[in-house]
Amino acid sequence: MVKETCYTEFGLGHYFLASVSEKEQFLAEPNSNRPNWPAIGLLLLANLIALSFLHSPGTGDVSIWRNWIDQMSAFGLTGGFVHSGTDYPPLSLIILAMVSRCADVFGTTVFLSLKCSLLIFLIATAASFYWFSRNLILTVALEFSLILNSVALGYLDIYFAPFLIAAFFCLQRGHFTIGVVLFTISCSIKWQPLLIAPFICIYVMTTVGEGLSGRDRVSKRAMPFLIAALIVALPLVMTFGAGAIINSLERAMTRHNFISGYALNFGWLHTWALHLWAPEKYGGLQNGEVDLIQTRDALLMLPEKILFYLSYAAILIAFALKKKTFRHLIVYSILGYLSYFLFNTGVHENHLFPIACLAWILVFIDSSQLVRAINLSIAANINLFLFFGVFGQRINTVIAGVDMTLWFALANVGLFAGLLLHTFRRNGVRLKFSFQ
């Protein structure tokens, strides 16, 4: 087994450098076998905080989930998927159908059943992370970073989180088939993880079957994807129809005609600039506050599209040309997804969610990335908080006539640029390759 230099003792003061195998890193216990009561107490506190948001009304998206449930009640599961006009994959609606059924069984409201399901998946996400990491502190950090998105504001991203986390850990352990199957499940719950799919495909295709040659290597590398297609994709296609699923994906890619859908990114800065430059067309600032701009003008959104396609392609090519380590998979997946969040149009405030999951996996394998993971988790949560607080109501972000969301949008761009330059410099990627 190839040995890598990594940090094996997690601490804020200093790190002890050692050379260990990935297997030894996974099996290593922090300090002793005695229960870490302070960490256990912190984990209980995180779950109590999550539980306290059980009756939080969430954002307006909660009413959309309720509408989808009503459509399934009226037309059945497959008919409801079509009539709802959803831009989510089928597994999300299957989970929501189960939420509705549980509400009937336990004699409670659909809303409370929904919030309980979000809490259960939050706990499952933490359990999934701890199962592989055996690190309570990092597990608590991960759970804290996901509470606002899930139980508090009522987004459905938490449904795919345990599968996404388990998928990456399985890939690190060399369980490629299970990893690809779990990742496919996460993509069948929300479409956003598909942005990471090219990185996983490259990693699997270049890692599986090392030492083999010819037909054996090809079949070995294709097997994880064939099994995932048979276990996950094929049953969904047979149940809901390929056309309905493709239409759902198309709606996800084209329906949201915002320059920025409350995402603190380059598009949000562009939105602010349009309010100033053409208030007669796009509306002026309301007491200094920036608001959404909807448009189908392809030329107006061209800067975002160019930046997204160029940056994403450069990051993907750089990953394809470098050595395929698991650390590189995590880092380049984060960079690729950040390029989508920062530069694509129609991005929403909750779309940084996968980054919070990947960031804490990165810290587990490289504890020197702790500060970066904290920054990414803050970015994901502050984007939610500035627009919807903790109870789904937008807060006043204007201070001294300036909307503070602009500063956070700039900070997010800077966070991406810093990670990009650090990664390219560390891996010997020529900067002129990414900018020319």
Side-chain angles (χ1 to χ4, degrees), residues 9 28 40 73 96 132 138 148 176 185 198 255 265 292 318 342 367 384:
E9 182 170 340
I40 293 173
S73 297
L96 289 177
F132 292 101
L138 292 185
L148 183 60
F176 296 105
I185 292 174
R255 169 186 287 177
N265 55 12
L292 299 173
L342 289 171
S367 56
L384 299 172

Side-chain angles (χ1 to χ4, degrees), residues 108-136:
T108 185
T109 64
V110 171
F111 173 79
L112 185 58
S113 181
L114 171 68
K115 296 301 286 291
C116 286
S117 74
L118 298 175
L119 178 61
I120 290 170
F121 271 86
L122 176 66
I123 295 172
T125 300
S128 175
F129 186 91
Y130 181 74
W131 176 265
F132 292 101
S133 71
R134 292 298 193 267
N135 191 313
L136 275 174

